[in-house]
Amino acid sequence: MLVMLKKTLATALLLSLANLAIAQGTIKMGALATLEGAFTVLGEDGMRGVKMALNEFNYSVGGKKIQLITGSSDASPDSAIRAARKLVEQDGVQVLIGPLSGSEGLAIKDYAKTKPNVTFVNGTSAAQDTTLRKPAGNFFRFSTDGAQWMAGLGEYAYKVKGYRSVAVLAEDYSFPYTQVFGFLEPFCRLGGKSSADARFWVPIGNKDYSSVIAALPDDVDAIYVALGGADSVNFLTQYEQSGGDLPLVGGSITVDQSVLGSKGRTRKFIIGTPAAGPISDTWNDPRWDKFVADYKKQFPDGFPSPSLFAHGYYVNTKAALLGLQNVGGDLSDGGKKLRQSLSSLVFDTPTGMVSLDERRNAIADIFLTEVIEGPGGNLVNKTIKVVPQVSQTFGLQYEDFLKYGQVGRENPRCE
Amino acid sequence: MLRFIERHTFWAIIIVLATAILLLLIFSVWPEWLISVIGRKKTFVITLLNGVTLAGLYFLVASGFTLVFGLMRNVNLAHGSMYLLGAYIGYEVSERSGSWFLGLATAFFAIALSGVLLQILVFRRMEKEELRQTLVTIGISIIAADLMLAIWTGTTYQFTPPDWLWGSSVLPIISVIKASGKVIYLKYPIYRLTVLAVAVLVGIALWLFLNRTKIGMMIRAGVNDRDMLSASGVNIQLVFAIVFAIGAGLAGFAGVIGGTALSIAPGEDVRYLLASLIVVIVGGLGSVTGVAIGSLLIGLAEQFGLAYFPTYGVVLTFLIMVVVLAIRPQGIMGER
Amino acid sequence: MFDTRRLFSGNVSISEIHPAKIILGVFLIAYPSFTSDFFTFQIGAYSLILGTIALSLMMLAGYGGMVSLAQMSAAGFSGYIMAIFGENSVAVMGFGWPWWLTIITAILCGALFSTIVGAISVRTEGIYTIMITLAIAAAFFYFVRQNYHIFNGFTGFAGIEPPKLFGINWRDPVPFYYLTLFMAAFFLWAVSHCSRSTFGLGLQAIRDNPRRMRALGYHVGWHRITAYFFSGLIAGTAGVLLVWFNGRISPGSIGVEVVIDILVIAVVGGIRSPTGPFLGAIVFVLLENFAIDLIDRERFNTVIGLVFLLVVLFSPDGLLGLWNRIYPKIRFRRSVRTNGGRTQWDDSVSSG
């Protein structure tokens, strides 16, 4: 009886020690994406990117296993903060990847400042002020922001396409403001025009563009449309139906795969629409081809081609893993060594080299694309140009760039 | 109509004048000073048409809502979910069968069936407890919205209606006469005109049903006094089931019609529920004419708001609702 | 739940307080000492805040018969006022008023919002009230989302913190928990007390038969609007604590989904008694945080909707009503056993 008791105690002790050993040898990594609400599909693709990066490292780094804990939000800042709190305070993650949406990123940055011992790495949130103004010392963004995504498009529209005045149609919140800024600033500097009454800021979630289309001016050369996904599909359908015939210029998610591949009548009239963003579906580069092949192999039920969400989460997770590898998985100092390593990290991604600036925002390549008719009669984006190593301040000094002011409805002015 | 003119001469004159001005605005060529005041004619006329066609869609959605309330005093807050479910079902059927009309019919009957089941299995046990019935519909809408999200995910779906309903048509309304003397006519989507036509047809059909058939007579009697109707020997549960079937079926039908115009995605249920709420609050609960007036007001307000004041246009409709509530709480055509 | 004979007795001594309530009180006060920070803050404090907002709804619905879905909007409005007149980190508005002035202004603004809602919907009854207050809540949401000058639109405000008083950082989990506990207990007492006061009894009488009350000379409209004012005070205070809890406020905090959530909380807990909303809030918050681990993560809404539906279908008084119906049966059975089979109607059964 006593022997049995001793044996049980010994086993229990051994098991708990083993558990402790395993626990000490595990790194907890949290991933936060929009897995609820209308952006669920995008969040799921982001998670695929996270898993692709983890698979490359076999879920272990520096001899320690990595335990992935997922958190879910619905694109509202409040839900993102709640999910982040659960991951950090209840589940005890030491590295948090995410979030997906621009406004969430602004909120997570504020939260990061209250948790200095946790390392926060971005998902795909692309609002400018997340890193440009009052950045958090432990928030790293290895993906580019919405304005950087527009690099090269303004010049292309002015010089190559020959547009001199554009109307703007975009949703009324921070991410489209950033995109419009990124497009109009170089366009206007070259002499282009876009008056304040030719800018149409539609409320978020608006599905009915018919009256906005009716109010669009006739005397512009093109319309810059910075709508995403479903809204873009709606707009294009309604625009064609109302007999509109002005050429379009697209934002980063206006004519991407999710829009071009959507069901319904083929929209021939958008052939020739230029756009820009962090990826291009048809880039002839072995790194990108390998990434696409890996994506298709690991996730046969995913998109036909990885979206910028899978790409963004992949790059950020890979950066976090590389940083962890550099410090041998040692997070005993509250992640200080890890963050130092991340600040100076430079590495190769499926879309080129990525490094960080002083505010821990990415410097990376941007792709200028145009819609063409593909071999099978469907529509794809052709890569026109790769704009190399775009920084958040577009090569200007930080103080000079700040003079442009915060993005908003009237920034920039060019009458 | 003659009686209306006799009894409300003042209002009749106002209405005739307003209609005349409106027709003039639509069909004449605008002089420069008018353009500088209001903006281009194209914007005005297209927004007007958009408002009227949107009103047609709102009429389709809200008429079911008001019918169910008028007779059974049940505020069906799951009405928006029925709209969305009808749209999804219609989409699945029309994609698999290739026929948009089949999808339309299936949506109507499927959602009508769901309405009947709801009435028989759930609401029948809760008669006279209106608040509880409303809470039940809220619970159903929460669950339905989540399950629909699970099945159809967050992607947006677009219908493929037949070609002869699609594309844009040229209207006999002059937009502008260019300096070269060339006349430009307005172009307008055919489908939206179809929506308006369907709404008018459904409105006429409903009116005929309510006013020229025996069941319609029973329904109107029931709206006035439910207990007397049941006391006079009518199978009131059957009437309830029929009304719920029609009301729900209309929601599903509107789901396919509206979904073809504006695509389907999660969140549409809340949007159309709120729209129906405002339309019937403004027009008056229980009255189909009220729904017509309310949807016209709200549709026009929403489109003019979007075109001319996009930032706050969305609040304009709520403003109208508050004003109506302050002046006439039972709605324009409602009865206390 | 209340023994009607004690309604007019006037004094209550400690021996008359149900032992269960004392145990609950001790548990709540000692709660932070044996739970982690996460449980104290995210579960405990958050439930208390949500419960208080639902309490304001319960007061109007249970005692007044007016289900106002705009209480969450009142709380949100008060939170926005805190951000606008106090300090925030977004560089929009933020007048930097002294903390005590900001808090008082915010609470009063929440009450004002609720009063205006009441004035608009006072002429309606029953389901009409639900529809109209839902529409008002939606209107407020859209307005706040579109306006950037005052409310900073979609992004909202961040960086709103409680003042550091007496050397304590009130945003830390334990002090904040006690703050919310104090607020919740105070309003719980206030609402219970109010329900037995002349005003509260008048309100309940109006709920049961407004025509009779009008005939008795009560001004039904003003009585109802005053009820909205008081519930607005409750919602406003909870709104201040909510904005401190989140550290931020944005249109998402007052959207239609959140507004319906408060209704769900109040109904699930029990809309007849002031403790009901808090019970509902605990169930809601626990499900929200742990449904992810127990059931499929994304189907939280289905679960909470099912719970809500089941409660409405089978126990319209909420979980508290369910408990009240089961509890006497348990005690009854016990007293039957101890008396050797003879039925004995002792006081404990009738006052359960």
Side-chain angles (χ1 to χ4, degrees):
Chain A
M1 173 66 186
L2 207 57
V3 175
M4 272 277 283
L5 197 61
K6 280 192 194 164
K7 273 194 191 167
T8 334
L9 275 173
T11 329
L13 199 66
L14 271 172
L15 274 175
S16 57
L17 275 175
N19 245 340
L20 207 62
I22 293 176
Q24 277 185 337
T26 320
I27 298 177
K28 288 193 179 170
M29 179 179 279
L32 173 62
T34 53
L35 298 172
E36 296 162 25
F39 291 170
T40 311
V41 212
L42 310 176
E44 282 169 0
D45 215 36
M47 281 303 175
R48 292 190 195 112
V50 173
K51 292 186 181 142
M52 279 178 76
L54 281 168
N55 278 331
E56 267 181 38
F57 282 75
N58 255 326
Y59 279 80
S60 81
V61 111
K64 298 191 182 162
K65 291 199 67 53
I66 299 183
Q67 186 189 5
L68 177 69
I69 310 175
T70 51
S72 138
S73 68
D74 64 8
S76 74
D78 292 348
S79 66
I81 294 290
R82 252 208 304 280
R85 268 218 198 100
K86 178 165 185 294
L87 286 171
V88 169
E89 294 169 30
Q90 175 72 345
D91 299 318
V93 301
Q94 295 135 310
V95 178
L96 179 59
I97 316 266
L100 185 138
S101 157
S103 302
E104 291 180 325
L106 290 166
I108 294 282
K109 169 193 71 163
D110 281 329
Y111 177 67
K113 291 182 185 168
T114 67
K115 296 280 167 207
N117 284 337
V118 179
T119 310
F120 290 81
V121 183
N122 192 34
T124 49
S125 77
Q128 198 180 54
D129 282 345
T130 311
T131 48
L132 187 68
R133 291 184 171 82
K134 300 195 200 163
N138 53 344
F139 187 90
F140 296 83
R141 179 150 72 175
F142 286 91
S143 51
T144 35
D145 79 6
Q148 285 169 290
W149 288 355
M150 292 279 97
L153 189 60
E155 288 95 351
Y156 186 74
Y158 191 87
K159 293 185 184 155
V160 177
K161 288 286 193 182
Y163 302 143
R164 292 291 177 266
S165 70
V166 294
V168 169
L169 174 62
E171 273 168 332
D172 206 358
Y173 73 106
S174 55
F175 172 66
Y177 294 161
T178 315
Q179 291 244 289
V180 169
F181 172 79
F183 170 72
L184 277 184
E185 203 285 312
F187 183 76
C188 294
R189 205 172 354 107
L190 287 170
K193 300 255 168 290
S194 173
S195 64
D197 62 359
R199 297 196 201 174
F200 298 90
W201 301 102
V202 291
I204 305 164
N206 179 53
K207 292 231 149 59
D208 196 350
Y209 294 97
S210 40
S211 295
V212 179
I213 292 172
L216 286 172
D218 304 306
D219 52 356
V220 291
D221 297 321
I223 312 177
Y224 175 70
V225 181
L227 303 170
D231 294 340
S232 176
V233 171
N234 272 323
F235 169 74
L236 292 172
T237 314
Q238 290 169 30
Y239 189 66
E240 182 187 20
Q241 277 221 293
S242 41
D245 50 11
L246 284 171
L248 306 174
V249 178
S252 306
I253 45 177
T254 308
V255 284
D256 68 345
Q257 264 303 309
S258 67
V259 173
L260 296 180
S262 69
K263 277 190 187 287
R265 297 172 161 72
T266 42
R267 283 166 260 278
K268 297 272 192 233
F269 76 100
I270 57 170
I271 293 178
T273 303
I279 63 167
S280 164
D281 310 319
T282 59
W283 191 35
N284 284 328
D285 185 284
R287 295 169 290 182
W288 176 250
D289 290 335
K290 178 170 182 302
F291 180 65
V292 177
D294 283 342
Y295 177 86
K296 286 195 182 142
K297 194 170 76 165
Q298 289 179 34
F299 304 106
D301 56 344
F303 289 145
S305 176
S307 67
L308 64 86
F309 300 97
H311 169 262
Y313 270 83
Y314 169 81
V315 168
N316 277 299
T317 312
K318 182 156 176 183
L321 291 169
L322 284 172
L324 281 169
Q325 196 176 54
N326 286 348
V327 300
D330 179 16
L331 292 166
S332 53
D333 62 346
K336 269 206 243 330
K337 282 202 301 257
L338 170 65
R339 288 190 282 279
Q340 266 174 341
S341 162
L342 286 175
S343 302
S344 52
L345 192 63
V346 179
F347 67 108
D348 203 15
T349 69
T351 45
M353 298 294 289
V354 170
S355 57
L356 293 182
D357 64 13
E358 315 90 57
R359 281 161 303 284
R360 292 163 292 284
N361 195 71
I363 304 173
D365 295 349
I366 299 294
F367 295 80
L368 194 57
T369 62
E370 194 165 293
V371 179
I372 57 163
E373 188 161 358
N378 54 336
L379 301 171
V380 288
N381 279 306
K382 179 184 88 170
T383 315
I384 302 180
K385 191 167 104 162
V386 180
V387 184
Q389 300 297 290
V390 179
S391 74
Q392 197 176 33
T393 57
F394 290 91
L396 292 176
Q397 290 290 327
Y398 178 60
E399 292 75 23
D400 293 332
F401 189 72
L402 281 182
K403 292 207 190 100
Y404 280 115
Q406 276 185 298
V407 296
R409 289 185 186 136
E410 282 133 44
N411 194 355
R413 313 193 74 107
C414 43
E415 299 296 327
Chain B
M1 187 141 68
L2 281 169
R3 245 185 306 141
F4 179 82
I5 296 178
E6 272 171 34
R7 283 207 286 174
H8 310 273
T9 322
F10 176 68
W11 285 112
I13 296 178
I14 300 276
I15 292 177
V16 170
L17 264 176
T19 323
I21 294 179
L22 200 63
L23 286 172
L24 203 67
L25 275 176
I26 294 178
F27 285 103
S28 69
V29 180
W30 283 21
E32 276 303 318
W33 60 268
L34 195 57
I35 295 185
S36 61
V37 168
I38 304 184
R40 288 173 311 152
K41 178 179 180 185
K42 175 179 166 198
T43 316
F44 177 78
V45 178
I46 292 196
T47 314
L48 187 68
L49 283 169
N50 286 337
V52 174
T53 51
L54 185 64
L57 181 59
Y58 281 163
F59 175 78
L60 281 175
V61 183
S63 50
F65 188 71
T66 207
L67 262 182
V68 167
F69 178 78
L71 181 61
M72 298 175 305
R73 295 272 176 264
N74 180 352
V75 180
N76 180 15
L77 289 179
H79 199 74
S81 316
M82 287 176 168
Y83 172 94
L84 191 58
L85 185 61
Y88 279 130
I89 292 179
Y91 174 79
E92 290 293 331
V93 170
S94 69
E95 283 301 301
R96 279 168 222 276
S97 69
S99 160
W100 182 75
F101 287 102
L102 189 62
L104 194 61
T106 320
F108 179 83
F109 287 112
I111 305 296
L113 184 65
S114 78
V116 170
L117 285 173
L118 262 181
Q119 165 63 19
I120 298 179
L121 296 175
V122 179
F123 297 127
R124 192 167 164 173
R125 300 168 203 279
M126 283 186 246
E127 241 167 276
K128 308 282 183 175
E129 290 175 72
E130 297 143 12
L131 195 58
R132 196 163 162 210
Q133 288 181 344
T134 309
L135 290 177
V136 168
T137 60
I138 291 180
I140 294 175
S141 74
I142 296 176
I143 299 176
D146 203 44
L147 288 177
M148 283 192 279
L149 186 63
I151 301 176
W152 281 285
T153 72
T155 330
T156 309
Y157 294 94
Q158 293 233 299
F159 285 86
T160 5
D163 276 330
W164 53 273
L165 276 179
W166 211 241
S168 87
S169 64
V170 180
L171 295 175
I173 301 175
I174 300 175
S175 163
V176 77
I177 300 187
K178 284 205 166 299
S180 60
K182 179 160 177 245
V183 180
I184 311 241
Y185 288 97
L186 277 178
K187 286 194 254 182
Y188 200 71
I190 298 178
Y191 186 71
R192 291 192 80 116
L193 293 172
T194 323
V195 171
L196 182 61
V198 169
V200 170
L201 278 171
V202 168
I204 295 179
L206 263 180
W207 188 87
L208 285 173
F209 174 71
L210 283 175
N211 287 300
R212 294 279 182 270
T213 66
K214 195 156 162 216
I215 302 186
M217 182 176 68
M218 286 192 248
I219 293 176
R220 275 183 297 133
V223 170
N224 276 333
D225 195 330
R226 209 178 349 173
D227 297 321
M228 274 314 272
L229 181 69
S230 133
S232 61
V234 169
N235 184 352
I236 193 112
Q237 290 302 329
L238 182 64
V239 179
F240 283 0
I242 291 178
V243 168
F244 218 121
I246 297 177
L250 273 174
F253 180 80
V256 175
I257 301 264
T260 315
L262 297 170
S263 77
I264 15 172
E268 290 294 276
D269 49 351
V270 176
R271 175 175 164 219
Y272 281 98
L273 175 67
L274 282 174
S276 307
L277 271 180
I278 300 184
V279 164
V280 296
I281 290 177
V282 167
L285 274 163
S287 153
V288 176
T289 330
V291 171
I293 297 179
S295 48
L296 207 59
L297 260 175
I298 299 297
L300 283 169
E302 200 177 294
Q303 288 299 317
F304 273 97
L306 258 177
Y308 289 97
F309 331 100
T311 316
Y312 293 113
V314 78
V315 193
L316 185 60
T317 46
F318 292 101
L319 221 65
I320 293 181
M321 179 195 78
V322 172
V323 166
V324 168
L325 274 174
I327 300 178
R328 201 184 150 88
Q330 65 267 37
I332 295 181
M333 299 288 290
E335 289 145 23
R336 240 346 186 145
Chain C
M1 182 137 177
F2 287 109
D3 184 0
T4 47
R5 291 172 300 174
R6 263 198 247 131
L7 255 180
F8 302 108
S9 61
N11 44 0
V12 181
S13 73
I14 195 101
S15 58
E16 288 183 354
I17 300 182
H18 206 283
K21 291 185 191 160
I22 297 186
I23 297 177
L24 185 66
V26 171
F27 172 78
L28 283 173
I29 294 179
Y31 180 69
S33 60
F34 54 85
T35 53
S36 65
D37 272 353
F38 174 77
F39 262 88
T40 311
F41 193 69
Q42 278 277 75
I43 310 277
Y46 192 48
S47 314
L48 287 168
I49 295 177
L50 285 182
T52 314
I53 301 179
L55 180 70
S56 87
L57 195 159
M58 172 266 153
M59 177 184 156
L60 285 176
Y63 292 144
M66 312 173 278
V67 182
S68 160
L69 290 177
Q71 295 312 103
M72 185 65 207
S73 306
F77 185 59
S78 129
Y80 266 107
I81 295 294
M82 283 296 289
I84 292 173
F85 287 102
E87 283 170 9
N88 64 70
S89 65
V90 193
V92 176
M93 296 269 121
F95 295 139
W97 285 10
W99 62 268
W100 51 271
L101 190 58
T102 337
I103 293 177
I104 295 178
T105 316
I107 296 178
L108 284 178
C109 282
L112 184 66
F113 185 92
S114 181
T115 315
I116 295 178
V117 170
I120 297 177
S121 42
V122 75
R123 295 210 263 172
T124 64
E125 273 164 25
I127 352 118
Y128 293 83
T129 318
I130 295 187
M131 294 188 350
I132 285 164
T133 50
L134 179 62
I136 293 177
F140 183 61
F141 164 76
Y142 283 118
F143 179 74
V144 150
R145 199 187 65 182
Q146 294 301 108
N147 178 300
Y148 275 86
H149 292 298
I150 307 179
F151 291 103
N152 204 29
F154 190 74
T155 331
F157 292 101
I160 306 156
E161 283 175 359
K164 289 190 185 23
L165 290 177
F166 315 119
I168 308 176
N169 180 8
W170 288 94
R171 189 61 179 22
D172 285 337
V174 176
F176 190 76
Y177 170 79
Y178 283 119
L179 195 60
T180 51
L181 183 62
F182 173 69
M183 171 195 73
F186 172 71
F187 282 125
L188 188 62
W189 172 84
V191 172
S192 311
H193 186 79
C194 169
S195 74
R196 290 173 284 167
S197 71
T198 324
F199 175 79
L201 289 173
L203 190 65
Q204 291 173 70
I206 291 179
R207 170 198 70 198
D208 291 332
N209 197 328
R211 203 191 285 178
R212 184 193 299 163
M213 291 304 281
R214 238 179 248 123
L216 281 174
Y218 277 83
H219 197 298
V220 167
W222 280 117
H223 213 99
R224 283 179 170 159
I225 296 181
T226 318
Y228 270 97
F229 175 76
F230 284 131
S231 88
L233 285 174
I234 302 177
T237 319
V240 170
L241 280 162
L242 182 67
V243 83
W244 281 346
F245 174 80
N246 279 321
R248 53 170 301 111
I249 185 145
S250 60
S253 328
I254 50 169
V256 174
E257 297 82 15
V258 187
V259 162
I260 301 269
D261 281 343
I262 299 289
L263 177 69
V264 168
I265 288 175
V267 170
V268 164
I271 217 163
R272 291 276 170 198
S273 157
T275 42
F278 292 100
L279 182 60
I282 295 177
V283 170
F284 182 85
V285 171
L286 284 174
L287 270 177
E288 190 179 47
N289 275 289
F290 298 109
I292 288 183
D293 302 324
L294 296 172
I295 321 157
D296 187 10
R297 116 185 44 269
E298 292 157 43
R299 301 279 79 79
F300 159 70
N301 273 317
T302 310
V303 171
I304 201 80
L306 263 171
V307 172
F308 178 73
L309 203 57
L310 288 171
V311 164
V312 175
L313 284 173
F314 297 115
S315 174
D317 281 344
L319 290 173
L320 214 56
L322 201 64
W323 171 249
N324 277 341
R325 264 179 285 153
I326 296 179
Y327 184 61
K329 291 199 185 125
I330 303 175
R331 296 201 70 190
F332 180 58
R333 249 186 245 124
R334 220 172 345 124
S335 33
V336 166
R337 259 209 315 269
T338 53
N339 282 302
R342 262 180 56 218
T343 350
Q344 183 155 8
W345 290 94
D346 53 37
D347 278 0
S348 48
V349 171
S350 60
S351 68

